[in-house]
Protein backbone atom coordinates (compact mmCIF):
# COMPACT_ATOMS: atom_id res chain seq x y z
CA UNK A 1 0.00 0.00 0.00
CA UNK A 2 1.54 3.39 -0.94
CA UNK A 3 1.93 6.11 1.66
CA UNK A 4 -0.96 8.56 1.72
CA UNK A 5 1.27 11.59 1.34
CA UNK A 6 3.24 10.15 -1.56
CA UNK A 7 3.39 12.68 -4.39
CA UNK A 8 3.07 10.77 -7.68
CA UNK A 9 4.67 13.61 -9.63
CA UNK A 10 8.04 13.05 -7.93
CA UNK A 11 9.74 9.98 -6.59
CA UNK A 12 10.60 10.02 -2.92
CA UNK A 13 14.30 10.23 -2.12
CA UNK A 14 13.50 7.86 0.73
CA UNK A 15 11.57 5.29 -1.31
CA UNK A 16 14.59 3.03 -1.94
CA UNK A 17 15.66 3.27 1.73
CA UNK A 18 12.39 2.97 3.62
CA UNK A 19 10.77 -0.47 3.27
CA UNK A 20 7.23 -0.19 1.92
CA UNK A 21 5.86 -2.04 4.97
CA UNK A 22 7.10 0.88 7.07
CA UNK A 23 5.06 3.44 5.11
CA UNK A 24 2.19 5.05 6.97
CA UNK A 25 -1.16 3.29 6.47
CA UNK A 26 -3.01 6.58 7.08
CA UNK A 27 -2.33 10.26 7.40
CA UNK A 28 -0.92 11.51 10.72
CA UNK A 29 -2.86 14.20 12.63
CA UNK A 30 -0.35 16.99 12.07
CA UNK A 31 2.98 18.01 10.60
CA UNK A 32 6.36 17.21 12.10
CA UNK A 33 8.69 20.19 12.37
CA UNK A 34 12.36 19.91 11.38
CA UNK A 35 14.83 22.20 13.12
CA UNK A 36 18.39 22.32 11.79
CA UNK A 37 21.10 23.40 14.20
CA UNK A 38 23.85 25.12 12.26
CA UNK A 39 24.59 24.31 8.64
CA UNK A 40 22.94 21.07 7.54
CA UNK A 41 23.12 20.19 3.83
CA UNK A 42 19.80 20.81 2.09
CA UNK A 43 19.79 17.30 0.57
CA UNK A 44 19.87 15.83 4.10
CA UNK A 45 16.91 17.96 5.19
CA UNK A 46 15.04 17.03 1.99
CA UNK A 47 15.67 13.33 2.68
CA UNK A 48 14.29 13.75 6.21
CA UNK A 49 11.13 15.39 4.84
CA UNK A 50 10.63 12.37 2.57
CA UNK A 51 11.13 9.92 5.44
CA UNK A 52 8.60 11.83 7.53
CA UNK A 53 6.10 11.75 4.69
CA UNK A 54 6.64 8.06 3.91
CA UNK A 55 6.89 6.66 7.44
CA UNK A 56 4.51 8.95 9.34
CA UNK A 57 2.13 9.94 6.56
CA UNK A 58 2.44 13.64 7.22
CA UNK A 59 4.20 16.69 5.91
CA UNK A 60 7.32 18.23 7.38
CA UNK A 61 7.46 21.87 8.42
CA UNK A 62 11.09 22.90 7.86
CA UNK A 63 11.97 25.71 10.27
CA UNK A 64 14.73 28.26 9.60
CA UNK A 65 18.09 26.89 10.77
CA UNK A 66 19.40 28.07 14.13
CA UNK A 67 23.07 28.97 14.44
CA UNK A 68 25.16 26.64 16.59
CA UNK A 69 26.01 28.44 19.78
CA UNK A 70 29.16 27.77 21.76
CA UNK A 71 27.02 27.76 24.91
CA UNK A 72 25.74 24.33 23.81
CA UNK A 73 29.24 23.06 23.05
CA UNK A 74 31.46 21.29 25.54
CA UNK A 75 34.79 22.66 24.28
CA UNK A 76 36.84 20.04 26.15
CA UNK A 77 34.94 17.23 24.42
CA UNK A 78 34.40 19.03 21.11
CA UNK A 79 30.77 17.88 21.21
CA UNK A 80 27.36 19.49 21.53
CA UNK A 81 25.21 18.67 24.55
CA UNK A 82 22.09 16.82 23.32
CA UNK A 83 20.08 17.77 26.43
CA UNK A 84 20.69 21.46 25.81
CA UNK A 85 19.69 21.08 22.17
CA UNK A 86 16.46 19.39 23.27
CA UNK A 87 15.81 22.33 25.60
CA UNK A 88 16.06 24.62 22.57
CA UNK A 89 13.60 22.44 20.67
CA UNK A 90 11.11 22.63 23.52
CA UNK A 91 10.76 26.36 22.85
CA UNK A 92 10.71 25.97 19.05
CA UNK A 93 7.72 23.61 18.68
CA UNK A 94 5.39 25.40 16.24
CA UNK A 95 1.67 25.59 16.92
CA UNK A 96 -0.08 22.66 15.29
CA UNK A 97 3.05 20.52 14.98
CA UNK A 98 2.74 16.95 16.19
CA UNK A 99 6.49 16.60 16.92
CA UNK A 100 9.77 18.41 16.33
CA UNK A 101 13.00 16.78 15.16
CA UNK A 102 16.32 18.57 15.44
CA UNK A 103 19.21 17.69 13.16
CA UNK A 104 22.84 18.68 13.57
CA UNK A 105 25.86 17.97 11.39
CA UNK A 106 28.25 17.91 14.35
CA UNK A 107 29.09 15.42 17.08
CA UNK A 108 26.96 15.36 20.23
CA UNK A 109 26.81 13.60 23.57
CA UNK A 110 24.47 13.08 26.51
CA UNK A 111 25.51 13.06 30.15
CA UNK A 112 27.11 9.72 31.02
CA UNK A 113 27.69 8.74 27.39
CA UNK A 114 30.71 9.13 25.14
CA UNK A 115 28.48 10.17 22.23
CA UNK A 116 24.93 9.74 20.96
CA UNK A 117 23.60 9.36 17.43
CA UNK A 118 20.27 10.70 18.61
CA UNK A 119 18.48 11.69 21.78
CA UNK A 120 14.79 12.20 22.56
CA UNK A 121 12.19 13.26 25.09
CA UNK A 122 9.40 11.03 23.85
CA UNK A 123 6.82 12.39 26.27
CA UNK A 124 7.41 15.91 24.96
CA UNK A 125 7.47 14.83 21.31
CA UNK A 126 10.96 16.00 20.47
CA UNK A 127 14.19 14.44 19.34
CA UNK A 128 17.55 15.48 17.95
CA UNK A 129 19.96 13.44 15.88
CA UNK A 130 23.46 14.00 14.62
CA UNK A 131 24.64 13.29 11.09
CA UNK A 132 28.33 13.42 12.06
CA UNK A 133 28.93 9.80 13.11
CA UNK A 134 26.44 8.50 10.55
CA UNK A 135 28.75 9.69 7.78
CA UNK A 136 31.46 7.33 6.56
CA UNK A 137 33.83 10.33 6.37
CA UNK A 138 33.78 10.49 10.18
CA UNK A 139 35.68 7.20 10.20
CA UNK A 140 38.11 8.22 7.45
CA UNK A 141 36.28 6.26 4.75
CA UNK A 142 34.88 7.35 1.38
CA UNK A 143 31.53 9.12 1.16
CA UNK A 144 28.62 6.66 0.88
CA UNK A 145 25.35 8.52 0.45
CA UNK A 146 23.22 5.36 0.31
CA UNK A 147 24.65 4.15 3.62
CA UNK A 148 24.11 7.59 5.17
CA UNK A 149 20.47 7.53 4.03
CA UNK A 150 19.94 4.05 5.45
CA UNK A 151 21.43 5.14 8.77
CA UNK A 152 19.31 8.31 8.87
CA UNK A 153 16.17 6.31 8.23
CA UNK A 154 16.88 3.99 11.14
Amino acid sequence: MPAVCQHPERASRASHTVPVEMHAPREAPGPIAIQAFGPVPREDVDFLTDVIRDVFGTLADVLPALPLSTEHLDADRGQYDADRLLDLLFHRMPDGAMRVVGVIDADMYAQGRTFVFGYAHLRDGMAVYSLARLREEWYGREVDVDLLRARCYR
Side-chain angles (χ1 to χ4, degrees), residues 91-130:
H91 300 290
R92 302 286 301 171
M93 175 90 79
D95 290 339
M98 186 173 69
R99 306 270 188 270
V100 63
V101 176
V103 60
I104 184 172
D105 201 7
D107 199 20
M108 67 179 187
Y109 76 99
Q111 193 65 36
R113 302 188 187 269
T114 310
F115 69 91
V116 292
F117 292 109
Y119 203 62
H121 286 172
L122 298 177
R123 184 187 63 216
D124 296 325
M126 49 199 63
V128 61
Y129 78 99
S130 167

Side-chain angles (χ1 to χ4, degrees), residues 17 43-44 47 145-154:
T17 304
E43 59 270 15
D44 293 324
F47 179 77
V145 174
D146 289 336
L147 185 55
L148 172 65
R149 299 287 180 251
R151 290 172 175 170
C152 288
Y153 154 68
R154 287 185 193 108

Side-chain angles (χ1 to χ4, degrees), residues 17-82:
T17 304
V18 179
V20 76
E21 60 271 9
M22 293 298 297
H23 287 206
R26 63 187 170 284
E27 195 167 331
I32 295 176
I34 299 172
Q35 178 64 72
F37 292 108
V40 174
R42 184 68 205 186
E43 59 270 15
D44 293 324
V45 173
D46 290 345
F47 179 77
L48 180 55
T49 64
D50 287 345
V51 169
I52 287 170
R53 185 188 64 238
D54 291 351
V55 174
F56 297 102
T58 190
L59 299 176
D61 180 10
V62 180
L63 305 174
L66 291 176
L68 280 174
S69 170
T70 55
E71 73 181 78
H72 304 104
L73 175 70
D74 183 318
D76 293 335
R77 296 175 70 131
Q79 295 173 298
Y80 286 87
D81 185 331

